Amino acid sequence: MNHKVLLYSLNVHFGATHAVKGVTLAFPENSVTAIIGPSGCGKSTVLRAINRMHDLTPGARVSGSIALDGTNIYANNVDPVAIRRRIGMVFQKPNPFPAMSIYDNVISGYKLNGRIRRDDADEVVESSLKRVALWDEVKDRLRANAMELSGGQQQRLCIARTIAVKPEVILMDEPCSALDPIATMKIEELIEELKEKYTIIIVTHNMQQAARVSDVTAFFYLGELVECGDTPMIFTKPEKRQTEDYITGRFG
Amino acid sequence: MSRLTFRHAKNGCMTFLMGVFTLAVLIPLILIFAHIVRMGISSISVDFFTQIPRPTGETGGGMANGMVGSALLIFLASCLGIPVGVFGAVYLAEYGGSRISTVIRFAADVLAGVPSIITGMVAYALLVVPMKGFSALAGAFALALIMIPIVLRTTEEQLKLVPVTLREASLALGVPLWRTTLKVTLRSALKGVMTGVLLAIARIAGETAPLLFTALGNQFWSGKLTEPIAAMPLQIFNFAISPYEDWHRLAWAGALVLVTVMFGLSLAARYFGRTKQSGL
């Protein structure tokens, strides 16, 4: 299997804090990789390094390299904006644009960047919403404000907005932690379908979720990568003692 | 008396006292407004809004030139004060490093505290002296100096209230930072920014001191921005200190119009402030 994204001795510092320590890790193409670990282990920090979200955090420093299809996205001649178009992100709390309608939220990636032709917009909206299984629920009220949707619907809308700009990689930062079990189940089913087209990297607190949705699991502890392997292996026969302790609930 | 009844009594007394102090805050405002209405309302007429002041000895006349002059001064001051204040605030909230931001913020606070007569003197030295004459431009410049810190600080506060998650949502879609700032952050804070701008306009609309050495005032219509220009507060001041009964009446009417305009601006600011949570 191809490696879509490759971290090589990645370090992230926030001022004096060394948050991610020398992580080398490969994310296979068209599959779901889960990053698990206790709070503060640096898993979200790793995720946000992959689409250069730390660029705007004062005091944040990223060293080492992250390759997307073999090109280092931290090289000097790389435009972070172009990278973020190829690597989309879904956040912990659903964050649709509150002043926009459902329709406008889906095409927000285009609208904020300029204009989009009306016919194209209609098509993008329909196909994106169908892909996240939201179309039937909202097709009669596309002009309604996005904030009228339930939390789970809002999160699916955010995923629709992300795939509307046709990324190659989707980063998900605990996408279900603010949702109820039924909404969570829908998102998990969606992740399963999306991996046919996209490479998905998901940070999660929920180990059952990691076991259910991912093909590969990486376990982080105190800013270091402890272990990475096929998900069934990690959850049944982990190599490291720390991993076993964590997944059996002895700490974390 | 049991402890409980004592506490209830104490509670009642304190609530009553707070009510009295609240009234004490309202009374001066009501008195001022009532007095100005009583003195000014009889001199409000169509002439007041359409005529310029008549020479002494002649009755009638109005403050049309002062009103147009004030509107022009406010417009010119806004042309300088709003962009500088808003974009300065965008820099502070979105781009600035911590040290330079602290310096700018401190400078803005000091500028806001400078007595407005000093601001007028600065405009006199910077514009009136080199241009060899009092002018609308110098007056507008002095008013803009007063406006900038107000707009800057209120805009910055409003920008800081925009959730980081919204900025991140936009950035993660591959929208450049400048577009995100313009179309997401500033757009979200727009109503709050409007409130700040309106309050700043209300503030400068009544400023008299900075215009004394700059716009100077004018009994007639002024044709050019490089000439002295009439302004409501200046005209009120000049008429009020004059010995003529007729001019006193015009001053009262002018005060009534000015206070009403400022009241309206404050109401508008409140309206924007009230609804800023609901929309983005």
Side-chain angles (χ1 to χ4, degrees):
Chain A
M1 209 185 292
N2 262 336
H3 289 149
K4 184 73 181 173
V5 178
L6 179 69
L7 316 183
Y8 185 75
S9 65
L10 181 77
N11 285 282
V12 182
H13 294 261
F14 294 111
T17 315
H18 197 173
V20 175
K21 299 167 186 167
V23 171
T24 297
L25 177 60
F27 297 97
E29 191 165 14
N30 293 348
S31 62
V32 180
T33 305
I35 299 178
I36 61 170
S39 296
C41 70
K43 51 192 192 304
S44 285
T45 309
V46 168
L47 195 75
R48 294 165 67 87
I50 299 173
N51 69 344
R52 294 194 58 168
M53 280 307 234
H54 295 307
D55 285 21
L56 297 152
T57 314
R61 219 166 63 249
V62 179
S63 61
S65 70
I66 296 179
L68 172 65
D69 287 335
T71 311
N72 181 11
I73 63 167
Y74 278 91
N76 283 332
N77 56 354
V78 171
D79 177 9
V81 173
I83 291 302
R84 293 190 199 113
R85 282 186 198 150
R86 294 175 63 192
I87 306 180
M89 188 163 194
V90 177
F91 296 85
Q92 194 167 349
K93 259 183 76 186
N95 57 353
F97 295 108
M100 292 188 191
S101 63
I102 294 168
Y103 185 97
D104 285 344
N105 257 286
V106 179
I107 52 165
S108 54
Y110 296 95
K111 281 195 85 171
L112 292 172
N113 262 323
R115 292 183 181 283
I116 177 169
R117 278 185 37 226
R118 185 58 203 263
D119 299 352
D120 296 343
D122 287 346
E123 202 207 294
V124 167
V125 168
E126 186 171 343
S127 66
S128 304
L129 287 176
K130 277 184 174 159
R131 195 150 251 285
V132 299
L134 195 57
W135 176 253
D136 290 331
E137 292 165 51
V138 303
K139 64 176 181 231
D140 300 322
R141 47 175 179 144
L142 289 172
R143 296 291 165 190
N145 189 286
M147 303 313 279
E148 289 170 20
L149 299 175
S150 71
Q153 289 173 324
Q154 284 185 20
Q155 193 63 303
R156 277 182 283 155
L157 178 63
C158 289
I159 297 173
R161 170 177 81 184
T162 303
I163 61 177
V165 293
K166 302 184 174 64
E168 297 156 40
V169 180
I170 301 176
L171 309 174
M172 296 186 171
D173 190 357
E174 299 183 38
C176 302
S177 63
L179 306 181
D180 66 45
I182 292 170
T184 299
M185 197 180 74
K186 285 189 178 160
I187 303 270
E188 286 181 6
E189 282 168 3
L190 179 59
I191 291 172
E192 191 64 33
E193 279 166 34
L194 289 177
K195 77 175 184 186
E196 285 170 22
K197 272 188 86 173
Y198 309 95
T199 302
I200 296 173
I201 306 172
I202 176 170
V203 162
T204 177
H205 256 310
N206 180 331
M207 280 178 282
Q208 287 82 3
Q209 181 170 64
R212 283 193 299 263
V213 302
S214 71
D215 304 302
V216 177
T217 298
F219 173 60
F220 278 72
Y221 186 57
L222 298 178
E224 289 176 48
L225 173 67
V226 176
E227 187 171 352
C228 176
D230 288 345
T231 299
M233 289 298 285
I234 293 283
F235 281 94
T236 52
K237 273 181 279 173
E239 282 177 13
K240 301 274 171 61
R241 182 63 197 273
Q242 275 171 319
T243 317
E244 193 178 340
D245 286 351
Y246 182 69
I247 60 169
T248 53
R250 243 168 284 178
F251 81 101
Chain B
M1 193 156 51
S2 77
R3 288 183 68 125
L4 191 64
T5 27
F6 175 67
R7 281 189 194 168
H8 280 308
K10 202 162 69 172
N11 185 34
C13 281
M14 288 301 176
T15 311
F16 175 75
L17 265 180
M18 283 188 278
V20 169
F21 287 133
T22 310
L23 271 181
V25 172
L26 284 174
I27 285 169
L29 179 69
I30 295 169
L31 283 181
I32 290 173
F33 203 66
H35 190 65
I36 290 178
V37 169
R38 198 159 54 85
M39 300 297 286
I41 196 88
S42 59
S43 308
I44 299 275
S45 63
V46 177
D47 275 4
F48 182 78
F49 293 97
T50 54
Q51 303 282 314
I52 65 171
R54 299 254 171 90
T56 45
E58 282 183 50
T59 51
M63 283 196 177
N65 58 340
M67 289 178 215
V68 172
S70 268
L72 189 65
L73 285 170
I74 289 169
F75 173 76
L76 289 175
S78 300
C79 286
L80 179 64
I82 294 174
V84 171
V86 169
F87 288 106
V90 167
Y91 178 79
L92 285 185
E94 308 290 318
Y95 295 87
S98 60
R99 180 165 308 167
I100 183 125
S101 300
T102 315
V103 173
I104 296 174
R105 237 173 254 130
F106 180 71
D109 288 345
V110 174
L111 188 58
V114 168
S116 54
I117 187 107
I118 309 284
T119 311
M121 284 160 70
V122 169
Y124 177 84
L126 287 177
L127 288 178
V128 175
V129 173
M131 291 170 75
K132 296 190 171 54
F134 300 100
S135 66
L137 288 176
F141 178 72
L143 293 181
L145 286 184
I146 294 170
M147 225 178 158
I148 288 169
I150 305 174
V151 175
L152 185 95
R153 291 312 300 267
T154 48
T155 304
E156 192 198 355
E157 291 308 316
Q158 293 302 323
L159 290 175
K160 280 185 183 160
L161 287 179
V162 179
V164 178
T165 54
L166 275 191
R167 296 183 176 87
E168 287 185 339
S170 172
L171 291 169
L173 287 168
V175 179
L177 181 60
W178 69 271
R179 273 187 187 274
T180 300
T181 303
L182 216 58
K183 293 194 165 184
V184 177
T185 317
L186 207 50
R187 172 76 185 73
S188 311
L190 196 62
K191 284 184 174 171
V193 174
M194 290 289 287
T195 307
V197 166
L198 285 174
L199 288 176
I201 289 177
R203 164 81 195 277
I204 63 167
E207 282 290 348
T208 318
L211 299 177
L212 287 174
F213 321 123
T214 52
L216 190 68
N218 195 332
Q219 288 287 80
F220 308 99
W221 296 103
S222 37
K224 289 193 212 133
L225 297 181
T226 48
E227 287 173 1
I229 191 168
M232 288 286 285
L234 277 178
Q235 239 162 19
I236 294 168
F237 175 71
N238 288 332
F239 285 11
I241 59 172
S242 77
Y244 313 110
E245 194 57 36
D246 198 34
W247 281 15
H248 290 172
R249 277 202 297 277
L250 282 181
W252 281 115
L256 177 58
V257 170
L258 197 56
V259 167
T260 308
V261 167
M262 288 172 69
F263 191 60
L265 283 172
S266 298
L267 274 184
R270 265 199 72 81
Y271 169 76
F272 282 114
R274 184 173 55 81
T275 50
K276 75 169 178 277
Q277 298 304 334
S278 60
L280 159 125

